Amino acid sequence: QNESKFENWKETGSGGRIYRFEIKGHKGWKAIYLKEVDKNEKTISFRHEIYNEKNELVEIHEKYPTEKGHKKIKR
């Protein structure tokens, strides 16, 4: 199921995976969704990262296991 929703993934050392999905935004910005699962495909964490047109990380939004809201990255 995860493989059908996410473009690609990489294996972790513990037998889990980190799934990655990228969405292109306006003016060169992009969002990358990251979902980490354990070896049984149980979700460990889920967040999305926002990058500006210079490919600089500008914001992180942690969604799971705890909703932490948007965190701006200071430059």
Side-chain angles (χ1 to χ4, degrees), residues 5 15-16 23 33-34 37 48-49 52 55 62 66:
K5 291 181 181 180
I23 296 175
Y33 292 80
L34 297 165
V37 299
H48 64 263
E49 301 175 342
N52 66 16
N55 204 35
E62 293 186 50
T66 304

Side-chain angles (χ1 to χ4, degrees), residues 10-68:
K10 68 177 181 177
E11 303 287 332
T12 64
S14 60
R17 291 180 178 175
I18 298 175
Y19 293 96
R20 183 178 187 276
F21 181 76
E22 183 175 317
I23 296 175
K24 300 283 184 187
H26 299 286
K27 300 180 182 179
W29 287 52
K30 67 181 174 184
I32 297 177
Y33 292 80
L34 297 165
K35 179 180 183 180
E36 184 174 0
V37 299
D38 66 13
K39 63 183 177 183
N40 298 312
E41 291 291 311
K42 182 178 178 209
T43 302
I44 297 171
S45 69
F46 182 76
R47 72 180 185 275
H48 64 263
E49 301 175 342
I50 307 298
Y51 292 83
N52 66 16
E53 73 282 355
K54 298 176 185 174
N55 204 35
E56 299 169 328
L57 179 63
V58 294
E59 190 173 301
I60 297 173
H61 186 176
E62 293 186 50
K63 309 270 298 168
Y64 185 87
T66 304
E67 170 67 49
K68 294 183 179 177

